[in-house]
Amino acid sequence: MVSHSELRKLFCSADAVCFDVDSTVIREEGIDELAKFCGVEAAVTRRAMGGALPFKDALTQRLALIQPSRDQVQRLLAEHPPHLTPGIRELVSRLQERHVQVFLISGGFRSIVEHVAAKLNIPTTNVFANRLKFYFNGEYAGFDEMQPTAESGGKGKVIRLLKEKFHFKKIIMIGDGATDMEACPPADAFIGFGGNVIRQQVKDNAKWYITDFVELLGELEE
């Protein structure tokens, strides 16, 4: 069992920190916002998920209901850009000042996540998310099923890839959901985040659970 103080040490000496995006780095759930914008009730698409389906099947069903066009995705970003969670901008820049690599790993969509990454000065090469596909006329054509984030357990796969590619010694995963918690291992530590939404399972099982990024900033200042 890793103690709380060991977890804090791990966080302060990490060479890479990976953040989930929806309800963690941003306040919204990207797919729900996209559904609403496209005139589909988010609840309907959530019902399609039901919890019993593997992630890829659920994503396929939700997107089949939403059918977002390229134009709709671009308009969503222009008219209703995602809101950054308070404190995330400061935390990311503090980590970057310490030469820690920051990654965004999301089951959401690359076009939205890249928009968020740009606001946080995170290079697009450090973004892992699902890629929507469009026909030449801009209509929805599915999503890239080869991305690791399209699979159940995809976040763990990405972290394993990062370790192999960059030989990171200590990777921390931060997120609000069960899929983030399941990415540890291979992540060396998991920090649960409940600043936008509290998921009881994560709150009960995360060894370190925060509701404000200020707490992590404080650890780095000490």
Side-chain angles (χ1 to χ4, degrees), residues 53-180:
L53 286 177
F55 183 78
K56 187 188 279 183
D57 298 349
L59 189 61
T60 303
Q61 288 196 17
R62 290 186 82 178
L63 284 168
L65 285 167
I66 303 170
Q67 295 273 331
S69 68
R70 180 186 280 129
D71 178 55
Q72 283 172 315
V73 174
Q74 286 167 348
R75 278 185 23 236
L76 170 71
L77 288 171
E79 295 169 28
H80 302 280
H83 297 88
L84 291 178
T85 300
I88 189 65
R89 202 190 289 268
E90 296 76 7
L91 179 58
V92 168
S93 64
R94 188 79 192 93
L95 287 166
Q96 289 169 333
E97 280 166 19
R98 293 167 68 108
H99 307 291
V100 176
Q101 284 284 335
V102 178
F103 295 89
L104 299 179
I105 308 179
S106 172
F109 309 119
R110 198 173 174 95
S111 38
I112 296 175
V113 178
E114 283 187 349
H115 177 90
V116 173
K119 287 185 174 182
L120 295 170
N121 296 319
I122 294 171
T124 52
T125 45
N126 287 19
V127 169
F128 294 85
N130 290 317
R131 207 182 279 278
L132 292 170
K133 295 199 293 200
F134 303 101
Y135 293 112
F136 68 93
N137 64 356
E139 280 176 16
Y140 174 68
F143 63 96
D144 179 357
E145 299 193 12
M146 301 314 289
Q147 297 291 327
T149 46
E151 296 278 359
S152 299
K155 291 177 182 179
K157 281 193 196 116
V158 171
I159 289 173
R160 206 168 282 118
L161 285 170
L162 293 176
K163 284 193 158 181
E164 283 165 18
K165 188 174 173 186
F166 298 109
H167 309 292
F168 291 128
K169 304 270 187 300
K170 294 175 196 158
I171 295 190
I172 312 293
M173 179 74 207
I174 300 174
D176 68 292
T179 57
D180 308 310

Side-chain angles (χ1 to χ4, degrees), residues 10-11 14 16-19 170-174 187-191:
L10 261 175
F11 173 66
V17 176
C18 301
F19 288 91
K170 294 175 196 158
I171 295 190
I172 312 293
M173 179 74 207
I174 300 174
D188 298 278
F190 168 69
I191 300 170

